[in-house]
Amino acid sequence: MSIRKLPLAKSPIVTYQDIGHTLAVTLTKKESESWLYSNFVNLWFKKQYEKPVGTLIDIVYPSHTHFQNPFLKNQRLFKYIFEKFNLDIKNFIIENINQGFYIRVTVDEYYIPGKRAYKNFHYGHDLMIFGYNSSLQLFYVLGYFNEIFTEYEV
């Protein structure tokens, strides 16, 4: 039996899944704390209507934070690479986790139990894979599951 899970920290911000993924990995490094406070402490305030009925307060963060993060190295691969070189996606993910890499991938949530789209409609959305269990043939992922940002199995 082979189980491997890469470390994750509890992200203090999970409003947006991509930020939750980024911070869950970044904050495993103690020295990243000052980067967090430098990039995520600003708030912005916006009137939603001409006559104020409600307001929106949100964090301000750099776009594509995971690409501007000094604690992360990113590589982007597209589906055609796997097709062109006849790569097995499962083996690719397992080998990269064994090398210490986290995998962010877009999946069709129609096929994932616990997702709102499950067997209802096709919906491409991202999740982050941080581990696997080869005996049970599953991956450990981080993202929204039953409307809660958490770890779960796929």
Side-chain angles (χ1 to χ4, degrees):
M1 169 168 72
S2 182
I3 297 174
R4 176 85 193 264
K5 285 185 178 182
L6 298 175
L8 293 175
K10 181 166 175 56
S11 176
I13 302 170
V14 297
T15 307
Y16 304 105
Q17 188 164 272
D18 61 329
I19 294 174
H21 292 158
T22 298
L23 295 180
V25 175
T26 301
L27 294 176
T28 61
K29 297 172 175 52
K30 178 77 174 140
E31 61 275 15
S32 67
E33 203 170 288
S34 63
W35 178 85
L36 168 73
Y37 295 128
S38 296
N39 286 276
F40 291 92
V41 296
N42 299 317
L43 297 176
W44 61 275
F45 178 83
K46 177 183 175 185
K47 289 184 182 178
Q48 296 232 341
Y49 307 97
E50 232 174 85
K51 294 181 180 179
V53 176
T55 55
L56 174 66
I57 297 178
D58 202 354
I59 58 171
V60 175
Y61 63 96
S63 61
H64 307 293
T65 303
H66 48 283
F67 292 108
Q68 298 175 359
N69 184 331
F71 298 96
L72 300 180
K73 293 180 182 175
N74 291 279
Q75 296 181 30
R76 190 173 254 179
L77 295 175
F78 296 93
K79 182 180 174 182
Y80 77 88
I81 297 289
F82 292 91
E83 293 166 347
K84 181 173 182 162
F85 295 103
N86 199 26
L87 297 173
D88 179 278
I89 187 71
K90 289 180 184 177
N91 288 335
F92 177 84
I93 291 170
I94 289 169
E95 287 304 315
N96 276 276
I97 288 170
N98 287 341
Q99 296 297 317
F101 294 106
Y102 299 79
I103 309 289
R104 284 191 70 216
V105 62
T106 301
V107 297
D108 186 347
E109 292 186 350
Y110 179 88
Y111 301 102
I112 301 179
K115 295 293 191 172
R116 204 175 25 192
Y118 180 60
K119 292 189 177 180
N120 290 314
F121 55 91
H122 294 280
Y123 180 66
H125 203 257
D126 63 316
L127 55 79
M128 185 178 76
I129 304 170
F130 67 92
Y132 65 88
N133 181 321
S134 58
S135 295
L136 299 177
Q137 295 188 2
L138 59 81
F139 291 109
Y140 300 106
V141 301
L142 180 66
Y144 280 98
F145 184 73
N146 291 326
E147 309 300 323
I148 298 169
F149 189 77
T150 189
E151 300 174 17
Y152 59 101
E153 301 170 352
V154 173

